[in-house]
Amino acid sequence: EFRKELQAKVELAQKLHADEIETLNKHQETLRSQLESARIQDEQKMNELTIWKEMHDSQGYCNVTLMADDARQMLEKARDSSERSLSASKQLALKYLQRQFELLQDIRVTCLATYARVSGQMQSFIDEEMAPKISDLAQGAHSRAIAAYDHALPIYEEH
């Protein structure tokens, strides 16, 4: 009976952990999707920048001042776009790490609660069921040993 109870408790703990792992896997897929979306947006921005560079390179200039102004504007736009992409990437990474930390905290709390509950049940089982049975068995063995000794003593003394 003790083994059945222990097996049931182990199976319950395994099921809880399996559910938590499934939740983490779903969360991981969501984060991968978000990361892929950010990568695609970054790639689109880089393609747009390349198109503008090619268009800019194909234009003929007769005024050095216009060339300098265009180059400055292009560099400012590229810098601004890069800063926005970097900021978005940082925010996405921070959000991901925060979610992972929260999930790990939830798993930790669940594991500690499961451990406390199972260990409390085990202690209760040992104190209330096993210890009295072991005590009864030991007392019975002790009584039988004394009876055997009392029976064997007279026979021993005769020889």
Side-chain angles (χ1 to χ4, degrees), residues 61-145:
Y61 287 98
C62 58
N63 186 335
V64 175
T65 304
L66 289 177
M67 288 173 41
D69 287 345
D70 285 348
R72 182 184 47 78
Q73 289 175 2
M74 181 190 72
L75 290 173
E76 286 175 358
K77 286 180 183 178
R79 184 196 68 216
D80 292 344
S81 177
S82 296
E83 287 176 352
R84 284 192 304 273
S85 294
L86 179 60
S87 177
S89 297
K90 285 180 183 178
Q91 289 175 355
L92 183 63
L94 182 61
K95 187 184 288 185
Y96 169 76
L97 291 174
Q98 182 65 32
R99 285 180 186 164
Q100 289 300 92
F101 179 75
E102 290 168 0
L103 285 172
L104 288 174
Q105 288 297 92
D106 290 346
I107 290 170
R108 179 184 166 272
V109 168
T110 301
C111 289
L112 288 175
T114 301
Y115 172 76
R117 187 180 71 248
V118 169
S119 64
Q121 290 171 349
M122 290 297 295
Q123 185 64 44
S124 175
F125 176 76
I126 289 169
D127 290 345
E128 295 171 7
E129 294 186 32
M130 287 191 70
K133 288 178 184 178
I134 291 171
S135 179
D136 290 346
L137 289 172
Q139 184 64 35
H142 181 262
S143 297
R144 286 191 299 279

Side-chain angles (χ1 to χ4, degrees), residues 22-34:
E22 179 63 30
T23 300
L24 286 174
N25 286 338
K26 288 179 183 176
H27 180 66
Q28 184 179 18
E29 282 300 319
T30 300
L31 292 174
R32 281 186 180 154
S33 173
Q34 291 173 350

